[in-house]
Amino acid sequence: MFPVESVFKRNEENLSVKKKIYWLTILLVSLTIIITFIFNIYYTWQKTLDDRYKETTAVANLLDQSLQGSFDDYILDSSISKEEKISQLNTKLQPFVDDIIISFENFGTGYYVKNLQSIVAFGPNFSQDGLIDIKLSSDARIVYETKKPLKFYNYSQTRDGYVVATILPIIRDGEVIGHTWSNVLLDDLFTYFQKDILAMFGILFLMLLIALVGSSMITNQYIKQLKDFRGLLRQSKVSKKSLRKFPQELIEIYTEVTTSREMIMESEKRFRDVVTAFDEFVWETDLDGNYTYLSDRVKSILGYSAKELIGKSTFAHMEAPNNEIIAHYYKEAIEKKITFRNIHFAKKNAMGDIIYLSCNGVPIFNEDNHLIGYRGATRDVSLEKKHEKEIHLLAYYDQITMLPNRTMLMKQIQLLIDKNKPFALLFLDLDQFKSINDSINHTAGDTLLKITASRLKEQLVENDQIFRFGGDEFIITLTNFKTTEELTPRIQSIIDTLGMPVKIKNIHLFNTGSIGISVYPQHGTTAEVLIKNADMAMFKSKANGRNQVTFYSIGFENEITESFALANDLKEALGTNQFVLNYQPQIDLTTGEIIGAEALIRWYHPSKGFISPEKFIRIAEEHGHIIELGNWILNQACADRKKWLNAGLDKFRVAVNISIKQFEQPNFVEQVLAILRQSELSSQYVELEITEGVAMAEPEIVIEKLQQLKDHNLYISIDDFGMGYSSLNYLKRLPIHQLKIDRSFVMDIEQKNDFAIVQSIITMAHSLDLNVVAEGVETEQQATILRSLECGIAQGYHYFKPMPEVDLVEILHQNKVLHVN
């Protein structure tokens, strides 16, 4: 018989070691329960804070949303004192604060205005004495530096208890102009946690009891199995023959086991290599959606290690409503036992960033063909989403203003048509944009478009939309009205917004807009027709003097057709001598002498008769004929002046208007000199009038061209002065001789504001040693005022209307001198 006493002895020694498992198990279970208890207390407190922060932030946001217009309306009003502003803001905002307090029990809220250094609306538990500046040490001041919300909790003496609070900065145009706050009073903390602590002690006691009983049963069962095994060995009869066979059998078993283990390890290695080779992380979940396996790739995608996520829900860290949607989809997949593919959702990674994931999964079945979970792979598609978003922006949004573009416009108009409810389509075109764009630079033009888009968006109400149609054109759709009369205040608000000054590069620009309106379904039932009709109405607004609003009318189509016909006639007129020049004399206000005359073009159409310059000049600009027309005027004026000079008429200049398109021509100076040579006229008899817009375009080039003209003894005037945006610093650099005050200021010179403008222009001109011409003088009173302001020259109907060349020659031969007071 083979002796087994040594084996028995070792087993008996092991029994004492195994009994230690009992106490070790109890210790580990106890530690686990205690740690779980502490974590639960911490989690409960953090969840309480998070819930309260969300509530206070929501209330603070409600306050901020109620501010639309309130701050600017009162703070910018310089006619009332600070105390009155505080009182009026309190009157406006306090009712909303009171509503919040009534709706949200145990909440305190309020507003603080930085510029007024005062709380203006508050509640509850504030007195009137609370309407003062916040302390320099107050945490609220942090939001003015960071421009970010501040969340905290502390003991509040005014509310006699712990409060959780959120301070939210009020940001307008990128600046913090004040803040709102909201706080909520917590329940008594001891009472709040006493329940949880008592409950946890109960659970702790129960789990310890279970651990004691369970560990005892497991240990006792293990000891019993060892005793049974010892008894079997004592009863066994092992012969030498079987002893010799035993090692060989053991080796065979060992070989079989190790071979299987190597195969399993090789299979696992192959699986790991495959998993590592792809960008996805592989996962398995149970039927509750908790991770049971994760590949190491999860770390590079989610930022969490596999160990950190095992046992946790796959729906954790998902952005709402993704978590609810995906959880519902997962539950439905379990019920139907189906495979799912390309499920997209958003999730927060370990750094708190939102990433986008795509997931595929297949069901897992056990030996009994029961569903026990899902297995699949998830990949990061954030870059693809970003590219999709960029492509969407490029396809549907304007890249300068970030407004929806023409493509999006057509889709949205069709959606409005499908609803079959009235809506208005406003076609808006900026009146001075081209001049500003050409005069300063395209960057300034882009800035103006951005500012205009931002201001227009602020004027829209719910369901209204704005689009950039192209260039300086915008389209706005207005809904929620029964009659077009209801649109008047909304449209007027848009017009007022367009007229607000814009400061770009230290230049104040004053721009306006022309608007045309079509209404569905009266003016069209398709997007194309509605846009076309609104466009025609907009052109009508421009034709009526700009800065106008015009509703579409059936007759507009005929006018547009006529405009195109007139453009064709204009080109023909240049070659068939249909144009003539009239001249309006300019008078020396001191001597009464005629010292110059402005050349003004007139068109006598063979079948349509006289056509106003205000009409055909605009058409010439729009259809590209203005350069040819401008050259004809200069050439004819020089020819006429040479003829008068030959007739003995000396001592006055002929003034010719130069368009911005003419002046921008690279060879403009050479063209002028060539015309002078062709007419054999000395340059001293010619005056060139350019507008402020021309003068501001590309300063260095403008100065160079004007200096060349001045060097050739040409007289240079700035026309329509006061309507543009010249700066004194730039104006004094221009090589010019004269300023010409725009007629709009002379017309109302008796008014205080226009008198001050005219006076300042004359004073500035004299300081720069420039002559001054006032155009549009129509009354003796205007002339008297101009004379008192020492304006040197006047032009207008009070003296002479524009006249044919032969009439001017007759007056000049009479050597007529007007009587001046």
Side-chain angles (χ1 to χ4, degrees):
M1 299 292 292
F2 181 77
V4 294
E5 282 76 7
S6 60
V7 176
F8 296 153
K9 183 177 180 180
R10 286 195 299 272
N11 287 335
E12 289 174 350
E13 291 174 351
N14 288 336
L15 287 176
S16 63
V17 176
K18 301 304 180 183
K19 290 179 180 178
K20 296 178 182 179
I21 297 175
Y22 177 78
W23 299 109
L24 181 60
T25 303
I26 293 174
L27 178 61
L28 292 175
V29 171
S30 300
L31 286 174
T32 302
I33 294 171
I34 292 170
I35 292 171
T36 304
F37 170 70
I38 295 172
F39 177 78
N40 188 67
I41 291 296
Y42 174 77
Y43 174 77
T44 301
W45 172 240
Q46 289 299 317
K47 187 174 186 304
T48 300
L49 287 182
D50 290 344
D51 290 344
R52 295 300 177 267
Y53 282 143
K54 289 178 182 177
E55 293 170 355
T56 55
T57 301
V59 171
N61 273 315
L62 281 176
L63 294 177
D64 191 4
Q65 291 170 10
S66 72
L67 294 181
Q68 299 297 328
S70 298
F71 274 62
D72 291 342
D73 291 347
Y74 293 99
I75 292 177
L76 298 180
D77 190 348
S78 60
S79 64
I80 60 177
S81 66
K82 172 182 175 180
E83 290 73 17
E84 289 174 315
K85 291 178 181 179
I86 294 172
S87 175
Q88 291 184 21
L89 270 172
N90 181 264
T91 301
K92 183 175 182 67
L93 299 175
Q94 188 63 49
F96 185 78
V97 173
D98 293 340
D99 289 342
I100 292 290
I101 299 306
I102 293 172
S103 301
F104 299 91
E105 187 177 359
N106 292 330
F107 274 78
T109 60
Y111 295 92
Y112 174 79
V113 182
K114 181 181 179 183
N115 288 353
L116 300 181
Q117 298 182 337
S118 176
I119 301 169
V120 297
F122 53 90
N125 300 328
F126 274 89
S127 65
Q128 194 67 23
D129 295 336
L131 304 182
I132 57 175
D133 194 12
I134 56 177
K135 297 179 181 178
L136 291 176
S137 60
S138 172
D139 289 340
R141 291 190 179 273
I142 296 175
V143 303
Y144 293 90
E145 300 173 3
T146 64
K147 297 184 180 181
K148 295 180 180 179
L150 175 66
K151 300 176 180 178
F152 62 91
Y153 68 91
N154 60 14
Y155 185 83
S156 171
Q157 294 180 348
T158 59
R159 307 205 63 191
D160 192 22
Y162 271 89
V163 295
V164 174
T166 296
I167 298 176
L168 190 70
I170 304 169
I171 299 175
R172 297 293 184 273
D173 296 327
E175 295 296 327
V176 181
I177 61 173
H179 70 258
T180 63
W181 77 85
S182 175
N183 56 43
V184 60
L185 186 64
L186 292 176
D187 296 334
D188 180 69
L189 292 180
F190 178 76
T191 303
Y192 185 81
F193 284 106
Q194 187 179 36
K195 297 176 183 179
D196 281 348
I197 292 172
L198 291 175
M200 288 301 297
F201 271 120
I203 295 172
L204 176 62
F205 177 78
L206 181 61
M207 293 184 69
L208 283 173
L209 183 61
I210 294 172
L212 288 170
V213 175
S215 298
S216 177
M217 292 176 63
I218 292 170
T219 305
N220 290 335
Q221 183 65 24
Y222 182 78
I223 293 172
K224 180 178 180 302
Q225 293 294 332
L226 282 177
K227 289 180 177 179
D228 292 342
F229 177 70
R230 183 178 60 183
L232 289 173
L233 284 178
R234 284 176 175 173
Q235 296 174 8
S236 299
K237 294 180 180 180
V238 182
S239 64
K240 292 183 178 181
K241 185 177 179 181
S242 63
L243 180 62
R244 288 195 298 269
K245 293 175 60 179
F246 181 78
Q248 183 61 35
E249 292 172 352
L250 183 60
I251 289 173
E252 291 176 358
I253 293 172
Y254 174 79
T255 302
E256 181 180 349
V257 170
T258 54
T259 303
S260 298
R261 182 181 299 172
E262 289 173 356
M263 292 175 64
I264 292 171
M265 291 176 65
E266 180 63 27
S267 178
E268 289 180 349
K269 183 178 183 301
R270 188 181 299 114
F271 174 73
R272 284 195 302 271
D273 290 343
V274 170
V275 168
T276 305
F278 292 98
D279 292 332
E280 296 90 341
F281 68 85
V282 178
W283 51 265
E284 290 182 2
T285 62
D286 57 23
L287 294 178
D288 293 325
N290 299 319
Y291 287 120
T292 57
Y293 167 79
L294 282 162
S295 65
D296 292 338
R297 176 71 69 180
V298 70
K299 177 73 174 179
S300 63
I301 295 179
L302 296 183
Y304 297 101
S305 67
K307 291 182 179 180
E308 291 178 284
L309 295 178
I310 295 295
K312 295 182 179 179
S313 174
T314 185
F315 313 121
H317 309 297
M318 283 189 185
E319 287 291 285
N322 279 279
N323 52 349
E324 297 176 2
I325 296 173
I326 300 300
H328 176 76
Y329 190 89
Y330 187 76
K331 182 179 179 181
E332 186 178 14
I334 289 174
E335 292 174 355
K336 297 180 180 179
K337 301 178 181 180
I338 59 174
T339 297
F340 52 81
R341 296 184 59 81
N342 297 323
I343 304 301
H344 290 258
F345 56 92
K347 200 168 190 176
K348 279 187 179 180
N349 61 16
M351 285 69 73
D353 300 325
I354 300 297
I355 60 174
Y356 295 90
L357 304 171
S358 178
C359 175
N360 298 328
V362 295
I364 306 173
F365 299 95
N366 61 13
E367 297 85 350
D368 299 325
N369 202 32
H370 291 151
L371 181 67
I372 60 173
Y374 267 81
R375 177 185 295 124
T378 299
R379 65 189 180 97
D380 186 352
V381 294
S382 299
L383 187 60
E384 296 175 21
K385 285 288 184 181
K386 180 183 178 182
H387 290 164
E388 287 177 6
K389 185 176 181 181
E390 290 173 350
I391 291 171
H392 180 79
L393 285 173
L394 290 172
Y396 294 103
Y397 287 85
D398 169 56
Q399 298 306 296
I400 294 177
T401 63
M402 296 313 295
L403 292 177
N405 61 14
R406 186 181 302 199
T407 303
M408 184 68 82
L409 168 68
M410 303 304 287
K411 291 178 177 289
Q412 293 302 316
I413 292 179
Q414 189 57 53
L415 289 176
L416 290 174
I417 292 173
D418 292 341
K419 292 179 181 178
N420 199 27
K421 292 183 179 180
F423 66 89
L425 191 149
L426 278 62
F427 198 114
L428 186 155
D429 183 272
L430 300 181
D431 291 330
Q432 305 298 330
F433 178 77
K434 187 173 182 352
S435 175
I436 293 170
N437 209 29
D438 293 338
S439 300
I440 305 178
N441 55 44
H442 290 282
T443 301
D446 290 346
T447 302
L448 176 60
L449 289 174
K450 292 176 184 177
I451 295 173
T452 300
S454 177
R455 289 179 173 179
L456 289 174
K457 285 173 67 176
E458 293 177 358
Q459 299 304 312
L460 304 184
V461 299
E462 186 179 3
N463 296 326
D464 292 347
Q465 292 180 289
I466 179 172
F467 307 83
R468 186 184 178 200
F469 193 66
D472 60 339
E473 297 172 337
F474 298 87
I475 285 184
I476 300 173
T477 57
L478 304 180
T479 57
N480 299 328
F481 63 90
K482 294 181 180 179
T483 63
T484 54
E485 287 76 13
E486 297 176 21
L487 297 174
T488 301
R490 293 160 68 178
I491 297 172
Q492 186 58 49
S493 178
I494 293 172
I495 286 290
D496 293 342
T497 296
L498 290 172
M500 293 172 61
V502 177
K503 187 177 181 181
I504 301 176
K505 292 187 175 181
N506 295 320
I507 299 173
H508 284 87
L509 306 178
F510 294 88
N511 195 27
T512 57
S514 298
I515 297 178
I517 304 175
S518 61
V519 179
Y520 172 86
Q522 297 97 306
H523 302 148
T525 56
T526 66
E528 291 79 4
V529 172
L530 288 167
I531 293 173
K532 182 193 72 173
N533 291 342
D535 190 14
M536 284 193 286
M538 182 273 294
F539 272 103
K540 183 67 175 177
S541 292
K542 283 192 175 293
N544 290 339
R546 304 185 179 185
N547 195 25
Q548 304 283 329
V549 178
T550 306
F551 279 85
Y552 170 75
S553 176
I554 296 176
F556 290 171
E557 294 190 38
N558 295 332
E559 294 185 21
I560 298 297
T561 302
E562 181 185 357
S563 175
F564 278 100
L566 207 59
N568 293 329
D569 292 347
L570 182 62
K571 185 172 181 62
E572 181 181 349
L574 286 166
T576 55
N577 298 321
Q578 295 180 25
F579 293 107
V580 297
L581 290 183
N582 281 1
Y583 295 90
Q584 187 173 31
Q586 298 173 338
I587 310 301
D588 187 317
L589 279 173
T590 302
T591 65
E593 291 181 297
I594 297 175
I595 60 171
E598 181 180 0
L600 302 169
I601 190 169
R602 297 293 183 262
W603 183 8
Y604 293 94
H605 193 281
S607 61
K608 298 175 182 177
F610 174 74
I611 299 176
S612 169
E614 294 181 356
K615 190 173 185 179
F616 72 79
I617 292 294
R618 175 177 60 83
I619 293 174
E621 290 175 344
E622 292 172 356
H623 293 271
H625 302 314
I626 193 66
I627 295 176
E628 188 177 0
L629 191 63
N631 289 338
W632 182 89
I633 295 171
L634 180 59
N635 188 74
Q636 186 62 45
C638 289
D640 287 345
R641 187 64 189 90
K642 176 62 177 177
K643 183 170 57 176
W644 305 337
L645 188 62
N646 293 338
L649 297 174
D650 201 350
K651 298 183 181 179
F652 77 95
R653 289 182 297 271
V654 62
V656 179
N657 287 286
I658 303 299
S659 74
I660 189 170
K661 286 297 183 183
Q662 276 181 280
F663 194 85
E664 285 177 344
Q665 297 299 303
N667 61 341
F668 172 70
V669 175
E670 289 76 11
Q671 286 181 333
V672 172
L673 298 178
I675 291 174
L676 287 171
R677 287 194 298 270
Q678 182 179 352
S679 61
E680 299 180 350
L681 178 66
S682 173
S683 57
Q684 64 180 317
Y685 296 109
V686 178
E687 174 184 334
L688 300 181
E689 295 185 358
I690 63 173
T691 63
E692 279 187 275
V694 174
M696 290 296 292
E698 299 182 282
E700 299 307 322
I701 296 177
V702 169
I703 291 172
E704 182 182 355
K705 286 185 178 181
L706 292 179
Q707 188 62 56
Q708 291 176 12
L709 294 169
K710 190 175 182 180
D711 290 344
H712 284 86
N713 294 322
L714 283 144
Y715 198 80
I716 311 297
S717 292
I718 301 296
D719 193 17
D720 298 333
F721 189 80
M723 296 299 290
Y725 30 81
S726 299
S727 67
L728 180 60
N729 185 52
Y730 175 56
L731 189 64
K732 69 182 182 182
R733 296 176 56 202
L734 294 178
I736 60 175
H737 301 87
Q738 184 170 268
L739 298 181
K740 199 169 185 182
I741 303 174
D742 187 75
R743 67 179 65 249
S744 62
F745 299 115
V746 176
M747 183 187 309
D748 296 321
I749 196 172
E750 295 91 346
Q751 304 297 324
K752 181 179 178 180
N753 290 341
D754 285 350
F755 176 86
I757 293 173
V758 173
Q759 184 182 38
S760 64
I761 292 175
I762 294 173
T763 301
M764 178 186 67
H766 289 168
S767 70
L768 297 175
D769 198 24
L770 300 175
N771 293 328
V772 181
V773 178
E775 61 178 347
V777 180
E778 297 185 357
T779 66
E780 179 58 34
Q781 184 179 3
Q782 294 169 351
T784 301
I785 294 173
L786 290 167
R787 198 176 296 113
S788 69
L789 295 175
E790 298 183 359
C791 176
I793 305 168
Q795 175 183 337
Y797 280 23
H798 177 59
Y799 299 104
F800 295 102
K801 294 181 179 180
M803 61 187 70
E805 179 254 345
V806 292
D807 294 342
L808 176 64
V809 171
E810 182 179 348
I811 291 174
L812 292 173
H813 275 304
Q814 293 173 4
N815 198 19
K816 187 168 183 177
V817 176
L818 301 179
H819 175 70
V820 294
N821 294 326

